[in-house]
Amino acid sequence: MRKQFKKIIQLTTLSSLLVLTACGGNEPAGDQDAQTEGGAVKADIGVVSYISGPGAAYGEAITNGLKLAQEEINSNGEVEINLVVEDSAGKQDQALTAAQKLMNSENVTAIIGPTLSTEMNVVGPEADINGVPIMGTSTTAEGIPQIGEYVFRNSLPEALAIPAAIDKAMEKYDAKKVAILYGNDDVFTKSGFDTMKAAAEEKGLEILTIETFQKGQSDYNAQLTKIKGLNPDLILASALYNEGAVIMGQARKMGIDVPFVGGNGFNSPEVINIAGDAANGLIVATPWYGEKDDQKVQDFVTKYEEEYGKKPDQFAAQAYDALYIMAEALKNAGEADRDAVRDALAEIQGFNGILGEFSFDEEGDVVMEPTVLVIEGGAFKVFE
Amino acid sequence: MLAELINPYYLQVASFVLINIILGISIYITLSTGQLSLASAGFMGIGAYTSALLTLNFDLPIIVGVLAGTLMAGLFGVIIGIPTLRLKGVYLAIVTLGFGEVIRVIFVNWESLTKGAVGLSGIPHMGREILKTLKGFGFDPQVLGLQNNQFIFMTIFLLLLFITIGIIQFFRRQNSSRVGRAFAAIKLDEQAAESMGINITYYKVLAFAQGALVAGFAGTLFAHVLAYISPADFAYHRAVEILIFAVFGGSEVIWGPVFGALFLTVMPEVLRFISEYRYMIYGLVIIIMMAVRPQGLIDVNIINWIKTKVGKRGQKHGTSNTKNL
């Protein structure tokens, strides 16, 4: 019996050793090249991104935006950034191991990412404990920068975007009564709904009804019939664009012609492709407006189109700005030291990027003016 | 030297390997009576949520949460096991898959308790809590020449390693006991087993409950290692992933799912250098496996072959050694 047990222990230690060696091979290399050489601050920046799996389009846009920014920054010569990109496959455990690898094996100075707020909820506390500055470029849920001192984001949180959109819509349409519709089985749409409800209550709007739907649902007639009967002035919809576009299509067919106010996930040119004319009247607040009359924005759009053959979306734009913010912090810190970079990041005020003027508040959250857009005649226009 | 070897990244991967091994064992137990249950993700969720909610809302120590979560999952295993026993094969698989989905939908909709799809964050972290307790006694990881985070992952890894060894050993022992023989008999032929006087209802519920207990246990560990859970973690993807551990590694012997979990968790990490293509390779490996070795990589023959190559020593002394796997 004892022998047998000993054997098992041997086997398990052997297998665990195997695990350890199998993961090995990479020598920690960060310290030597993370030094100042003749003015240029050299730094390794880790990226945790969703580049395989169903949401890979987000990760692709983000890494494209980052790579474009990296080329420009490096050719500028003040800061030299080396990107180390790791895939998270949209899973928390994968995001965590990827971040561990970046922090401990690659010794990166800072991390950009991960893509999803759920991933950030797992990775953020770990980075904070290890003292590695981490900046989300697409994490819009409540409470992300509040995780810790080292956690930042430059993505416009729903808490800023949704109230801005509701405000403008209320002004224009003199809205008093609203109906809310949201997807309750998705983190993104659920937290968007929480923000919507709080904003509507705060602004004294009368909430006629709250309806829910599930991911992948295709028939929304039950919810919409009820909403139609209540005759709201506005419909607040926290949906991702694929469900949202279908909802708008069915609503217009039913004769509901009031404007829709959407969250960040609803904000995509795809809505127009899917819903066509029915998409007219969708109001969203966004940090990114590609048609903006600004040299920087237009340069970025042309370069991005040349390089990747499509128009940049908000994820690419936010990632692009994020790396510039990181570069600015590195330049101000003067060295690739994690604590120095964190302090420099926290001090960023009035940074002028393609998203407009950007500052961090004392918690590391975003301070900026979102642009409110509306779909009119099959295109996004600034909502006046 | 020691401090350099202990890289939290490797330890993190190893911890996930160990949790997945425990999950693999949970499905192996039910499979060893010939029942295909896909409820492991649901039981895992019950364990994780029970433990997370108890430790979050009542400030209970993690160990209490873990025990309660495990028992809760086991209880559900018994409740679900009794009625579903009438079903066999694919019908059982469908019902258990449905059960897992029901559990997930409950987590999504019971918003006052579970915060819905947003999930629970800030769950006490196993390693950090241990470190905090030890620091309370005046212990400092610097004594061992370790950083705080190295020590945290080291304790998690060692703890999980001992737990996993304990579980494997328990089920190896059980397999060569009366219970294990009864499981094997039921798997081969239910009617024959019943006519030999085996109470199949009892043993099938036992296997089902054991599987649920182990899956729930793995769920509690998952919650306290990740410190964040959401209903999407326990969707049917997870159930299929767990099933693949057993299918890939083989479900005849306990080492099958153990190896499956080890291999399939480590592979995506090793393949990180090809980033977005790594899951293609993952899929490819599984397809090739199914074509070449449908019974799974490790079966009784392989174990015996390894024994003749390596373990002459055991055969000289023991008598039971060849049969008890």
Side-chain angles (χ1 to χ4, degrees), chain B residues 14-26:
Chain B
S15 305
F16 285 131
V17 168
L18 292 169
I19 291 177
N20 283 342
I21 286 178
I22 299 175
L23 286 169
I25 291 172
S26 84

Side-chain angles (χ1 to χ4, degrees), chain A residues 216-240:
Chain A
Q217 192 170 324
S218 54
D219 178 18
Y220 303 91
N221 282 316
Q223 290 95 326
L224 290 171
T225 311
K226 189 169 172 200
I227 290 176
K228 193 184 176 198
L230 293 163
N231 214 1
D233 301 327
L234 274 182
I235 296 173
L236 311 182
S238 180
L240 298 176

Side-chain angles (χ1 to χ4, degrees), chain A residues 83-253:
Chain A
L83 290 178
V84 189
V85 184
E86 291 293 347
D87 176 28
S88 71
K91 296 178 185 160
Q92 287 99 293
D93 45 352
Q94 287 274 323
L96 186 56
T97 47
Q100 291 282 14
K101 184 176 181 213
L102 291 170
M103 292 188 285
N104 299 302
S105 287
E106 312 279 350
N107 284 321
V108 296
T109 310
I111 294 177
I112 290 182
T115 305
L116 306 177
S117 297
T118 46
E119 296 173 329
M120 188 55 125
N121 267 326
V122 173
V123 175
E126 200 53 50
D128 191 52
I129 283 178
N130 287 338
V132 179
I134 182 164
M135 177 156 61
T137 66
S138 53
T139 44
T140 54
E142 268 309 320
I144 296 290
Q146 286 75 21
I147 289 172
E149 288 194 334
Y150 286 81
V151 185
F152 298 84
R153 69 167 156 206
N154 83 327
S155 44
L156 188 72
E158 297 279 33
L160 269 180
I162 289 173
I166 294 180
D167 260 345
K168 285 256 173 120
M170 272 173 72
E171 241 172 67
K172 170 124 180 208
Y173 299 106
D174 192 26
K176 300 246 158 36
K177 301 175 290 177
V178 294
I180 306 184
L181 185 64
Y182 78 105
N184 74 343
D185 60 346
D186 183 86
V187 196
F188 198 73
T189 52
K190 168 72 170 68
S191 83
F193 159 73
D194 291 339
T195 319
M196 251 173 207
K197 189 163 169 256
E201 276 166 0
E202 195 198 321
K203 294 180 199 307
L205 287 168
E206 185 193 342
I207 300 173
L208 298 171
T209 178
I210 295 172
E211 298 292 318
T212 62
F213 62 87
Q214 276 80 42
K215 228 185 252 178
Q217 192 170 324
S218 54
D219 178 18
Y220 303 91
N221 282 316
Q223 290 95 326
L224 290 171
T225 311
K226 189 169 172 200
I227 290 176
K228 193 184 176 198
L230 293 163
N231 214 1
D233 301 327
L234 274 182
I235 296 173
L236 311 182
S238 180
L240 298 176
Y241 70 82
N242 25 14
E243 279 102 19
V246 178
I247 291 174
M248 287 197 77
Q250 293 183 0
R252 298 299 186 231
K253 256 184 218 136

Side-chain angles (χ1 to χ4, degrees), chain A residues 237-295:
Chain A
S238 180
L240 298 176
Y241 70 82
N242 25 14
E243 279 102 19
V246 178
I247 291 174
M248 287 197 77
Q250 293 183 0
R252 298 299 186 231
K253 256 184 218 136
M254 206 180 263
I256 302 177
D257 50 8
V258 296
F260 275 70
V261 176
N264 238 320
F266 213 150
N267 172 20
S268 163
E270 285 297 312
V271 178
I272 303 169
N273 293 344
I274 299 171
D277 282 345
N280 290 344
L282 172 67
I283 301 160
V284 289
T286 173
W288 165 242
Y289 181 49
E291 312 289 314
K292 202 169 167 184
D293 190 21
D294 181 335
Q295 195 52 42

